Amino acid sequence: MADIRRFLDSEYALKRDRAIYEAERRKRDVFEKIPELSRIETEITLTGVRYARSLISDADSANAISEYLEKMGRLNAEKEAILSKHNIPVNYLEPRFSCTICEDKGYISKDGASVPCSCYQKLYLEQLYKVSNLVDDEGTGFEFFDESFYSVTPDKKKYFTEISPRAQILAVKEQCLEFIDNFADNASHNLYFYGPTGTGKTFMAKSIGIEILKAGFTVLYLSATTLFPIIQQYRLNIDRDGVSSEQAYKNLITVNLLILDDLGTEPGSDSKYAELLSLLELRKAQGKNNIARTIISSNLDFKRLFQEYNERIASRIIGEFQALQFAGEDIRILKKLKR
């Protein structure tokens, strides 16, 4: 994930160099056809250098400094007149930067500090989406949340909760929004979503991920069945699709928000349990100095969590994750029936 900024910095350097190179190429072509412009350009450059030196020199008077400015003004006017005479735009010889604000540097000066330009922030967010596994996930996001799919009728025997599924999901949503608002707070908890299939756990986890991405944090969404092969490839030092297994494993540890979906659907083994516990411990250590939150979704309530996983993993999740119960009917089935 940290490679994103290095990648963008490199891309901006290439863009800027390309724009400057193309401008120099245009200059050579024009100067070859109109030698007078080359002479004027050289004079402008030399006068500019003298002007800059005069600003830091005590030897030059205010009149001399003013003369340099006037001369540059005359030379630029002469240059523009020649360009216009030959039907050449006055900015034809200048670099054509894709961003006129930062001139393809990626950063601008603000209040004496160097800060990312808006164009850089936009590209950074796009890159975050690409590596998050949330890209092109249509229909996901809090703007698509529809409480009408949740019953207003309480049924403890059916839903294992005292309140109605709708009241339950609205309470869950509020907790999720609070998680987003306090994401950078060191006291913020991880989240454990549990409940039957189709009750909105994945939707809610991904919706949180989208909001965290918008805030400029790194997010990685994985299903449990995808997680363990990544860890195994790292242990065996197997690179896939040009991606370093070491970097892929490092991302699991350092990403600001790791979303682990469908825990309990993967084939279980003692080695996998040990790897999961190790990952949770590494992320906990990472969280001491950096933001490293985790969201886990599962069909397993705490009782079944102890049955399916060893006690250390279950205890870790219970102790360090805020549990949010999802209840209701399978929304995917309800949507099909509604069509």
Side-chain angles (χ1 to χ4, degrees):
M1 297 290 180
D3 290 338
I4 293 177
R5 291 198 182 277
R6 285 195 291 270
F7 167 75
L8 287 180
D9 290 345
S10 175
E11 286 294 298
Y12 268 88
L14 287 173
K15 282 202 300 183
R16 182 173 171 80
D17 289 346
R18 187 161 50 246
I20 293 172
Y21 171 80
E22 289 297 325
E24 291 300 319
R25 182 185 59 78
R26 291 194 298 274
K27 279 184 180 181
R28 288 195 301 270
D29 292 343
V30 171
F31 291 168
E32 186 176 335
K33 296 174 183 176
I34 313 172
E36 181 66 9
L37 276 177
S38 178
R39 180 192 65 79
I40 294 174
E41 185 76 9
T42 300
E43 278 199 60
I44 290 174
T45 301
L46 291 174
T47 305
V49 171
R50 291 173 186 139
Y51 169 71
R53 287 176 178 171
S54 69
L55 293 176
I56 57 175
S57 173
D58 295 331
D60 290 308
S61 64
N63 287 337
I65 293 174
S66 178
E67 286 176 4
Y68 288 137
L69 285 174
E70 289 177 5
K71 184 176 181 179
M72 282 194 292
R74 290 196 304 271
L75 289 169
N76 278 309
E78 188 177 351
K79 173 183 171 182
E80 290 178 8
I82 294 174
L83 288 170
S84 297
K85 179 181 177 181
H86 290 82
N87 296 317
I88 300 173
V90 293
N91 63 348
Y92 183 73
L93 303 181
E94 302 301 321
R96 296 172 181 172
F97 299 116
S98 59
C99 178
T100 56
I101 299 173
C102 69
E103 296 184 339
D104 291 349
K105 296 174 185 175
Y107 294 84
I108 58 174
S109 179
K110 184 177 181 181
D111 299 328
S114 179
V115 298
C117 180
S118 58
C119 68
Y120 185 98
Q121 292 174 322
K122 181 176 181 292
L123 289 177
Y124 181 65
L125 184 59
E126 289 176 359
Q127 289 298 316
L128 288 180
Y129 269 99
K130 285 182 180 179
V131 300
S132 70
N133 296 330
L134 294 173
V135 68
D136 295 331
D137 200 5
E138 296 181 2
T140 299
F142 285 105
E143 66 270 27
F144 297 102
F145 175 76
D146 187 352
E147 64 187 66
S148 68
F149 286 109
Y150 296 86
S151 172
V152 296
T153 305
D155 189 333
K156 184 177 180 181
K157 185 176 180 180
K158 183 177 183 180
Y159 301 123
F160 304 101
T161 177
E162 298 284 352
I163 59 178
S164 70
R166 183 172 299 182
Q168 185 79 17
I169 196 62
L170 290 175
V172 166
K173 181 186 176 185
E174 286 303 311
Q175 290 294 320
C176 291
L177 294 175
E178 185 177 328
F179 175 84
I180 294 167
D181 291 340
N182 299 320
F183 186 73
D185 187 346
N186 287 333
S188 179
H189 286 284
N190 301 310
L191 297 179
Y192 181 74
F193 295 165
Y194 71 95
T197 300
T199 50
K201 300 185 298 296
T202 298
F203 171 87
M204 198 66 75
K206 286 187 173 182
S207 296
I208 291 174
I210 289 171
E211 294 303 315
I212 297 302
L213 278 175
K214 289 178 182 177
F217 296 103
T218 55
V219 177
L220 184 59
Y221 168 86
L222 293 169
S223 66
T225 53
T226 305
L227 170 70
F228 292 105
I230 292 175
I231 297 175
Q232 184 180 32
Q233 288 163 20
Y234 166 69
R235 298 300 181 199
L236 299 176
N237 196 26
I238 300 174
D239 296 341
R240 291 287 175 87
D241 301 323
V243 178
S244 162
S245 59
E246 182 178 0
Q247 184 60 53
Y249 184 71
K250 183 180 179 182
N251 289 343
L252 296 175
I253 301 168
T254 60
V255 67
N256 296 139
L257 176 61
L258 175 64
I259 301 174
L260 181 56
D261 201 10
D262 285 334
L263 185 70
T265 58
E266 76 289 348
S269 69
D270 289 341
S271 62
K272 287 183 179 179
Y273 299 156
E275 292 289 9
L276 177 58
L277 183 62
S278 175
L279 176 60
L280 294 177
E281 288 176 345
L282 288 169
R283 286 190 58 76
K284 182 180 180 181
Q286 175 76 10
K288 291 180 180 179
N289 300 310
N290 301 281
I291 299 172
R293 309 276 179 263
T294 305
I295 296 176
I296 295 177
S297 79
S298 175
N299 294 341
L300 307 176
D301 59 21
F302 283 157
K303 182 179 179 180
R304 291 181 60 202
L305 190 65
F306 271 100
Q307 294 171 347
E308 297 289 335
Y309 289 86
N310 65 39
E311 185 176 346
R312 292 182 66 194
I313 293 177
S315 297
R316 172 61 58 86
I317 292 175
I318 291 174
E320 298 176 5
F321 286 70
Q322 178 183 359
L324 297 178
Q325 181 183 0
F326 287 67
E329 308 296 335
D330 190 326
I331 294 175
R332 284 167 289 196
I333 295 176
L334 293 178
K335 284 183 176 180
K336 288 182 180 179
L337 294 174
K338 196 174 181 180
R339 290 172 185 169

